[in-house]
Amino acid sequence: MTEQVVRFVGVPERIELDDGIVIRRYVAADVPTIVAVVNASLDHLRPWMPWAQNPVTDETQGAWFRETDPQWDDGTNFVYGIFSAEGRLLGGTGFHVRNGPGVLEIGYWLATDAVGHGVATRTSAALTEAARAVPGVTRVQIHCDEGNHRSGAIPQRLGYTLARVEPREPQAPGETGRHQIWTFDV
Ligand SMILES: CC(C)(COP(=O)(O)OP(=O)(O)OC[C@H]1O[C@@H](n2cnc3c(N)ncnc32)[C@H](O)[C@@H]1OP(=O)(O)O)[C@@H](O)C(=O)NCCC(=O)NCCS
């Protein structure tokens, strides 16, 4: 049996938070900024992000942008940058479409110097709210390794429920292999 492709339309391309932080779809011109910010944050990203094991380049991130950007129009993956009111790239976030019908999964990472100010929590709150307005979405999820306490604190702060913990082959060096699935019904 072929697996049904899940697609969503109506995901907003830009969300502005009260304090001027802008969550927006990336454009090609963001690639050099992404490269600079990721490389400056590698030590903090490496334990948890499989794609941040080695320095990235304009070529690797350009290829990543060319792969992910059409997925937005396809309705199968939605990747955003998080920008300060002054336009500084603070981190990345997005909705993954990989958990079956009705489900959007929020992912996030922050630059080292953006950690500790509630940026990821407020971004995830805004994305959870935005998901409510997307036709067909019934549930939002956040997945993280049990050892990633800063990440797990985010769904906890937002009132998500820990639905289950599954074994999963570690994909980054900090992972324990116990994969938490937090859910929020919208
Ligand atoms: C996971 C990650 C995004 C969490 O970052 P974070 O800075 O801890 O999360 P937030 O931006 O929501 O900030 C929370 C902190 O700000 C504080 N805070 C301040 N104002 C706040 C507000 N308005 N709302 C929520 N928290 C606020 C919180 O008390 C918390 O403080 P603490 O550092 O003492 O715990 C970050 O650690 C990271 O990028 N890690 C590497 C990549 C990664 O693991 N990604 C997730 C994979 S599953």
Side-chain angles (χ1 to χ4, degrees):
M1 205 172 81
T2 44
E3 208 174 305
Q4 186 197 348
V5 179
V6 179
R7 299 174 199 279
F8 293 98
V9 291
V11 173
E13 295 198 7
R14 181 186 170 95
I15 300 170
E16 197 164 330
L17 306 186
D18 291 345
D19 57 2
I21 285 180
V22 172
I23 304 159
R24 67 156 171 82
R25 181 176 176 175
Y26 283 122
V27 294
D30 294 321
V31 166
T33 310
I34 298 170
V35 170
V37 171
V38 166
N39 285 341
S41 303
L42 267 191
D43 287 347
H44 132 91
L45 297 173
R46 193 177 286 115
W48 309 115
M49 307 311 277
W51 49 264
Q53 300 309 301
N54 296 298
V56 295
T57 64
D58 284 359
E59 287 67 37
T60 62
Q61 294 317 102
W64 170 81
F65 175 78
R66 287 190 297 279
E67 181 189 336
T68 53
D69 190 56
Q71 293 169 343
W72 189 299
D73 299 316
D74 229 22
T76 55
N77 194 27
F78 305 89
V79 183
Y80 298 91
I82 308 168
F83 295 86
S84 72
E86 297 74 34
R88 195 163 59 90
L89 180 64
L90 302 175
T93 189
F95 288 123
H96 300 294
V97 180
R98 56 188 180 192
N99 298 283
V103 184
L104 287 174
E105 176 196 337
I106 297 176
Y108 39 67
W109 63 271
L110 289 179
T112 307
D113 58 5
V115 168
H117 305 288
V119 171
T121 301
R122 285 179 289 131
T123 294
S124 299
L127 290 188
T128 305
E129 188 56 35
R132 282 180 197 278
V134 176
V137 175
T138 56
R139 176 169 290 179
V140 186
Q141 294 184 342
I142 294 178
H143 295 198
C144 72
D145 187 83
E146 193 174 76
N148 193 344
H149 301 294
R150 292 197 85 93
S151 182
I154 292 168
Q156 265 179 280
R157 272 187 213 108
L158 296 178
Y160 279 57
T161 302
L162 180 58
R164 56 191 188 278
V165 182
E166 294 175 345
R168 194 180 76 158
E169 194 63 35
Q171 298 178 3
E175 291 191 350
T176 63
R178 288 175 55 80
H179 188 68
Q180 295 181 335
I181 297 168
W182 295 83
T183 70
F184 193 96
D185 291 339
V186 297

